[in-house]
Amino acid sequence: MLEQILLIQFLRQYGKNLLDNLDFENYDWELLIRQARRANLLSRIAVFLQKGDFLEKIPEKPRLHFLNAIQLANANARSAKYEVQQIYKTLHAENIDFVLLKGAAYIWANTDSAQGRLFSDTDIMVSKMDLDAAENTLITKGWFGEIFDDYKQRYYREWMHEIPPLQHLQRQTTLDVHHTIIPPTSRLKPKPKKLWDHADALENMSGLFVLSPVDMILHSATHLFHEGEFNQGLRDISDLDLLLRQFIVPNNLWELLLVRAIELNLERPLYYALNYTQHILHTPIPDSYIAESAKLGNLNTLQTRFMNSLFLRALAPNHSSCKVSGLGIASWLLYVRSHWLRMPIHLLIPHLTRKSWMQFTGKSTR
Amino acid sequence: MCNFKFKSGELSVSLQTSMSTVKQHCELVYKHFPSPKETDFVDFHVSVNPVKGYRRWLRPQVQFSFDGYEPFAPLPIEQAPAFFEWGLNWCIANNTNQYLIIHAAIVEKNGYGVLLPGTPGSGKSTLCAALVCQGWRLLSDEMALLSITDGLIYPAPRPISLKNQSIQIIKQFSSEAVFGDIIPDTTKGNIAYMCAPKVSVISQMIPVVPAFIVFPHYRANSETKLTPLAKSRAFMTLAENAFNFNILGSVGFEVMADLIDKVECYDFSYPDLISALNGINDIVAKHEKE
Amino acid sequence: MQNSNTPLIQSSLKFHTFENEVAVYDSVSGKLHLLPFLGVELLKLMQQGSNMCVLVNTIFTFNDFDNQKENDADIEEAEMMVKQFIDSYRDLGLLD
C-alpha cells in the first residue's frame, strides 16, 4: 500500500541518495507536489532537490512550486529565529533557563530535520519550578492566554504537560510553554530533570538549550505516537528519519538510544519510531535493534500487528490520491488511544464525553 | 460532479464541483479562457462543494478545499461562486512567491502598466472595471503579480468583483459589460462578477512594464486632483499592501525598490467616475507626448 | 551544539535610498522603517561597533561644520543627538 505512494517512493530514493536517477523531464511532479503539500512536506522535498542541484532539471511549472516552497521555509526559519530571540530576551532577563523543542529546536540547532521544516507554534520547556514566573513574565511582555474557557483552562493546568497556549499580542504568534514532554498523567513517566541534565547549551546564548540529539529523537517519537495527531504523521516520520540518519546511523549509536529510552521510560515510542521509519522510509536500522526495542516496550506480536494496521493507515499522506481503506476508523482508534495513554480511565471517560457533546452541539470543532 | 479547467495567465486551475451555481458561474465568467491540455501541469486543484452532515438540513453551507486543505470556515450555500473566487485568490496569494504580490488592480494601455493600489472605499475596483470597459487591458483587479526575476507584471485575468452601488454604476456605464448574478449578503455586501473582456484573455500571456502607480481616493464633491507622491511614501504604502513582502524578505524589499525607482507615483482624488477616467487617461497621454 | 544564528541580525538589514530618506528593512523581524540620511549613517556605524568619537565626527561632517569640532558645546550637542538616535533605534528594534 505504501509502495504505491509517489511521495514515499521519492523520500526513500532521497534516503538512498538516488535522486539523480529520476527522469526529471517526465516525472509526475504534479502528483508529488500535491501529495507533499498535503503532508506539509513540500518545502522539505524542495530543499532536497535544491541541495542536489536538481531544480534546474525540473520543468518550469513544477519548479516554481518548489522555489515557492523554499521561500516559505526560509521565511519560516527567519521568523522562528526572531520569535526565539524575543522569548529569550524576556525570559533571560528573569534568569529563566529554557529548552527549545521540536521545530524551533531543529532550526536553532541546525539539524538535518530543520530542512524545509514548516511550523507555526514555538514550543519551549521550562522547569516546573520556573513555570509560574515564566508565564507571568511573558504575560507582562505581550504574550496573552488564548483560552478563556474554564474547563479547558483546568484541562491544561491539571492534566497537561504545558500551560494553555500564549499568543503574542502584536505578532499573533503562538507560544507553547511546557514543563515536561508528556502529560504527567500518562503511563510513561520520563523525568524532566533527566532531559535537562543532557540538554545542550546553544552558543552565545547562556540559559538557552536544546535537547541532546538522542533525547530529541525520543521526544519526537513520543510526540508523534502519543499525541494522537496524525495529520502531519508522515512529516514527523521524516523528521525522525533525518535525525536518526544524522545522529545515530553514522556511528551506530543504537545501543545508546535504547539505553536512553530505558532511562526515560520511553521504550514503546522508540520501538514505534524505529519500526515505522524503517518500514515507511527504509531508514537503515538494524533489525536486531527493532526487535530489542519491541521487547523492551513489552509489545507482543499480536499487539504490534494490530498497531501496524492502525499506524500505517494514519501515517499515509491525507491526499485523495493515497486514500487507504479504514482510515477513518484507524484515526478514531488512535485518537482514543492517545487519550487513553495520557489520562487514567476515570478522567478519560468524562473528558471524551464532554468533547463529543461540544462537537455535536457545534460549540467546538476538534 | 463536474470538472472545470482553465488557465488564467501562467496559472492553471482545476475545479471540482457538484454545484450547478458554481458551474454556471464558471461557464459564464471563464468562457473565453483556454483550458489546459490533458498533459499540462495544473497549479491548483480546488473544489467547492456543499458541506455534508446533519446540519445541512438546517443551514446549508458550502466549503472550499485546496486539494484537501480547507483554509476557511464554510459559508452559506448561496455564496458558493464567490467562495470559489476568494478561495482561488487565497491559493494564488499563498503559493506564487515567484511574484511579489501587490494588492492592487493592474491595467494596461499602449504598453503602459498602471497599478491602482486600493484601500477599501478608494474605488479601485470600480475604476478598474470602467477602464477595462473603455478598452484598457485587464491584468488583474485584485493582485498585481510582479515577477521577482524580471520586474514585469504578469497577467492573471479573472472576473472583476464589484460591490453594492458599483454594480449599477458599471452596468449604466457600459452596455457591453457582462455580469453574473448578484450574490447577496456576503461579508463584503452584495457582489457581482463582471466578465473579463475577451481581448484581455487573449493577451493574457503578455506581461507589462509597470509605468505608473496611482493611489485612487474617491471623494464625493471634491475637485479632481493629481499630486505627485514622494517615492519613499509610495514605497511604504505599497509594502504594506504586498501580501508576501515578508515571505520574500530581502528579495521582496529589493524588487519593491526597483519597481518604485522606475515608475511615477501619484495620489489621485476624484469626485466621480468620468473625471477619474479622464484623469488616468491624461496621465498616459501626457507621458506619451513627452 | 552549533548555533547558526549569531550573524543574522546584523546582515539582515537592507537599505534603499530615496530623495530625502532611506528605507530600512529587517527581514528577520519583518520591520520596515523610513529614516533620515544622517540616521542611517549613524546606524551603519553603530552596527560596525564605532565609538562615540566616530559618531560625533559623522554628525559634524554631515552638517558641514567640521571646523567647529573644538567647540565643547557642539560636541555635547552631537553626543546628545547620537544618544537620541540610539534610543529611537532601540525602540524600533533596529539595535539590541
Side-chain angles (χ1 to χ4, degrees):
Chain A
M1 144 179 112
L2 292 169
E3 281 64 35
Q4 278 119 47
I5 296 173
L6 191 64
L7 175 59
I8 288 175
Q9 290 169 7
F10 180 93
L11 292 169
R12 285 178 183 175
Q13 258 166 308
Y14 171 76
K16 293 200 177 70
N17 211 0
L18 291 176
L19 285 190
D20 40 1
N21 288 359
L22 296 181
D23 176 0
F24 288 94
E25 230 5 82
N26 301 306
Y27 194 80
D28 193 348
W29 296 113
E30 186 176 320
L31 185 62
L32 181 71
I33 288 168
R34 295 178 67 185
Q35 292 178 350
R37 183 182 277 133
R38 199 68 190 102
N40 207 1
L41 278 167
L42 185 54
S43 294
R44 177 159 293 165
I45 64 171
V47 171
F48 289 169
L49 288 164
Q50 187 187 40
K51 264 197 328 184
D53 264 335
F54 300 126
L55 286 176
E56 289 307 313
K57 298 184 182 174
I58 298 172
E60 190 196 4
K61 295 286 171 193
R63 185 173 70 236
L64 288 173
H65 283 270
F66 290 126
L67 290 171
N68 182 71
I70 291 169
Q71 303 266 26
L72 287 180
N74 291 343
N76 196 165
R78 285 197 304 270
S79 69
K81 294 218 161 183
Y82 183 69
E83 207 51 44
V84 170
Q85 282 162 350
Q86 301 311 304
I87 299 163
Y88 179 73
K89 262 188 212 166
T90 307
L91 293 182
H92 191 61
E94 301 295 317
N95 288 317
I96 298 169
D97 291 357
F98 64 104
V99 180
L100 297 174
L101 300 173
K102 303 186 228 174
Y106 302 156
I107 299 276
W108 277 73
N110 205 12
T111 61
D112 285 352
S113 53
Q115 300 171 92
R117 180 63 150 73
L118 299 185
F119 56 96
S120 48
D121 302 355
T122 308
D123 293 277
I124 66 170
M125 178 172 77
V126 301
S127 77
K128 182 110 201 216
M129 202 177 69
D130 285 335
L131 190 61
D132 287 344
E135 187 176 6
N136 292 334
T137 309
L138 287 164
I139 286 171
T140 57
K141 297 287 178 185
W143 279 270
F144 281 80
E146 299 171 44
I147 289 177
F148 302 103
D149 175 282
D150 281 349
Y151 179 82
K152 282 189 185 158
Q153 276 281 348
R154 218 158 49 91
Y155 170 73
Y156 273 101
R157 303 215 181 254
E158 288 180 18
W159 300 332
M160 292 302 282
H161 49 313
E162 57 184 309
I163 59 172
L166 298 170
Q167 193 178 47
H168 194 271
L169 203 59
Q170 279 117 33
R171 296 192 299 276
Q172 303 287 308
T173 46
T174 300
L175 170 62
D176 291 332
V177 183
H178 303 247
H179 51 86
T180 178
I181 57 166
I182 191 165
T185 47
S186 299
R187 284 157 185 76
L188 304 177
K189 309 264 182 222
K191 294 256 182 319
K193 183 174 179 305
K194 292 184 181 168
L195 298 169
W196 278 98
D197 288 347
H198 282 219
D200 288 322
L202 286 170
E203 261 174 42
N204 306 325
M205 305 281 272
S206 82
L208 180 56
F209 299 85
V210 291
L211 295 178
S212 72
V214 168
D215 289 1
M216 239 181 222
I217 293 168
L218 291 169
H219 177 223
S220 172
T222 308
H223 180 69
L224 172 58
F225 292 104
H226 282 253
E227 299 270 328
E229 301 261 345
F230 286 88
N231 50 358
Q232 312 222 53
L234 188 61
R235 198 274 314 266
D236 293 349
I237 287 287
S238 165
D239 284 350
L240 280 164
D241 170 70
L242 293 171
L243 289 168
L244 289 168
R245 286 176 197 265
Q246 182 179 8
F247 295 111
I248 309 296
V249 173
N251 296 310
N252 264 311
L253 300 178
W254 304 104
E255 198 66 46
L256 184 79
L257 190 58
L258 288 187
V259 170
R260 187 63 176 163
I262 300 169
E263 276 173 23
L264 292 173
N265 184 218
L266 298 174
E267 301 92 334
R268 257 192 209 198
L270 176 64
Y271 161 72
Y272 291 132
L274 297 181
N275 187 46
Y276 293 113
T277 47
Q278 190 208 43
H279 192 92
I280 299 171
L281 296 184
H282 292 174
T283 317
I285 304 166
D287 289 335
S288 56
Y289 285 101
I290 298 185
E292 183 70 24
S293 67
K295 218 187 293 161
L296 291 171
N298 254 329
L299 284 155
N300 62 41
T301 329
L302 200 68
Q303 280 171 312
T304 54
R305 218 177 278 166
F306 178 64
M307 291 317 289
N308 268 342
S309 71
L310 297 186
F311 281 135
L312 290 178
R313 284 189 170 82
L315 290 170
N318 187 13
H319 185 258
S320 53
S321 65
C322 347
K323 279 280 185 284
V324 286
S325 62
L327 175 66
I329 187 87
S331 314
W332 185 78
L333 284 171
L334 288 170
Y335 173 66
V336 173
R337 169 184 169 273
S338 72
H339 281 77
W340 165 251
L341 289 173
R342 65 184 178 207
M343 278 185 185
I345 191 89
H346 69 278
L347 299 176
L348 174 65
I349 302 281
H351 177 68
L352 287 181
T353 312
R354 190 189 146 86
K355 269 197 137 169
S356 50
W357 172 248
M358 298 288 280
Q359 270 173 50
F360 181 73
T361 54
K363 286 182 184 148
S364 134
T365 46
R366 199 190 128 218
Chain B
M1 188 66 69
C2 126
N3 181 212
F4 191 88
K5 286 185 177 183
F6 64 92
K7 280 174 119 166
S8 169
E10 299 280 345
L11 306 169
S12 304
V13 179
S14 168
L15 163 71
Q16 296 272 356
T17 183
S18 64
M19 301 179 70
S20 56
T21 51
V22 178
K23 192 165 169 267
Q24 279 162 17
H25 166 80
C26 289
E27 280 168 355
L28 178 74
V29 300
Y30 293 108
K31 189 172 149 194
H32 302 303
F33 286 67
S35 319
K37 288 197 290 281
E38 202 51 49
T39 50
D40 282 353
F41 183 89
V42 172
D43 292 283
F44 303 117
H45 291 263
V46 303
S47 72
V48 177
N49 284 306
V51 177
K52 295 198 182 85
Y54 62 92
R55 264 188 289 166
R56 79 189 130 153
W57 306 113
L58 297 167
R59 197 160 54 106
Q61 288 185 312
V62 58
Q63 182 56 292
F64 172 88
S65 155
F66 173 32
D67 215 359
Y69 177 64
E70 295 169 356
F72 308 104
L75 287 178
I77 204 134
E78 302 76 30
Q79 299 181 21
F83 206 5
F84 165 63
E85 296 295 338
W86 296 334
L88 187 54
N89 285 346
W90 182 90
C91 290
I92 296 171
N94 285 281
N95 293 283
T96 56
N97 288 315
Q98 62 269 39
Y99 306 113
L100 178 64
I101 308 168
I102 301 166
H103 186 207
I106 166 81
V107 289
E108 178 258 343
K109 189 168 128 180
N110 301 348
Y112 296 100
V114 178
L115 273 160
L116 303 164
T119 45
S122 62
K124 165 199 72 156
S125 290
T126 322
L127 189 49
C128 169
L131 286 165
V132 164
C133 289
Q134 273 197 339
W136 285 64
R137 169 154 78 106
L138 173 72
L139 284 89
S140 172
D141 77 320
E142 276 285 335
M143 290 184 280
L145 305 177
L146 176 66
S147 164
I148 60 173
T149 45
D150 61 19
L152 299 176
I153 296 184
Y154 282 74
R158 306 262 302 283
I160 299 176
S161 154
L162 290 169
K163 292 183 288 247
N164 306 320
Q165 314 90 297
S166 302
I167 303 169
Q168 211 44 48
I169 294 174
I170 296 298
K171 280 183 177 172
Q172 277 164 6
F173 178 78
S174 164
S175 55
E176 278 165 43
V178 183
F179 277 85
D181 293 339
I182 290 182
I183 304 164
D185 304 324
T186 74
T187 49
K188 303 178 179 189
N190 293 347
I191 59 171
Y193 287 97
M194 181 189 119
C195 297
K198 198 173 172 184
V199 283
S200 300
V201 179
I202 288 169
S203 48
Q204 67 169 350
M205 302 308 283
I206 307 165
V208 305
V209 181
F212 306 98
I213 300 178
V214 181
F215 290 87
H217 306 282
Y218 166 69
R219 289 194 188 105
N221 309 318
S222 68
E223 300 258 300
T224 308
K225 206 167 139 201
L226 186 71
T227 347
L229 181 65
K231 292 203 168 191
S232 54
R233 301 289 143 184
F235 182 95
M236 297 302 279
T237 315
L238 218 53
E240 270 170 36
N241 280 291
F243 292 105
N244 58 345
F245 190 78
N246 282 324
I247 299 277
L248 291 176
S250 44
V251 173
F253 180 83
E254 280 162 13
V255 171
M256 184 70 87
D258 282 349
L259 170 74
I260 297 284
D261 276 349
K262 68 184 184 200
V263 297
E264 291 176 19
C265 305
Y266 297 99
D267 253 331
F268 180 52
S269 47
Y270 61 93
D272 56 58
L273 194 54
I274 301 301
S275 5
L277 291 169
N278 292 339
I280 304 272
N281 281 307
D282 283 351
I283 296 175
V284 174
K286 194 172 147 238
H287 195 86
E288 281 183 322
K289 260 190 235 155
E290 277 166 11
Chain C
M1 191 167 282
Q2 268 289 314
N3 167 3
S4 62
N5 178 67
T6 352
L8 241 165
I9 270 286
Q10 300 287 327
S11 63
S12 68
L13 286 190
K14 286 262 168 194
F15 301 91
H16 186 77
T17 308
F18 294 104
E19 214 175 332
N20 298 312
E21 288 146 309
V22 180
V24 183
Y25 178 61
D26 179 352
S27 64
V28 171
S29 67
K31 286 180 180 155
L32 177 65
H33 303 285
L34 264 185
L35 301 178
F37 280 135
L38 173 60
V40 171
E41 279 310 305
L42 293 178
L43 180 64
K44 286 179 180 167
L45 290 169
M46 281 180 228
Q47 287 190 316
Q48 289 158 14
S50 303
N51 60 24
M52 186 57 94
C53 184
V54 176
L55 299 173
V56 166
N57 268 327
T58 307
I59 292 184
F60 282 126
T61 326
F62 199 88
N63 290 335
D64 224 6
F65 44 73
D66 44 358
N67 290 332
Q68 299 170 28
K69 247 181 264 183
E70 307 301 315
N71 186 334
D72 280 351
D74 282 346
I75 292 176
E76 232 168 70
E77 197 191 319
E79 280 181 356
M80 200 57 131
M81 274 176 86
V82 172
K83 281 179 186 139
Q84 279 169 1
F85 271 117
I86 292 177
D87 282 346
S88 60
Y89 293 156
R90 201 165 276 140
D91 288 346
L92 294 175
L94 291 168
L95 286 176
D96 273 339

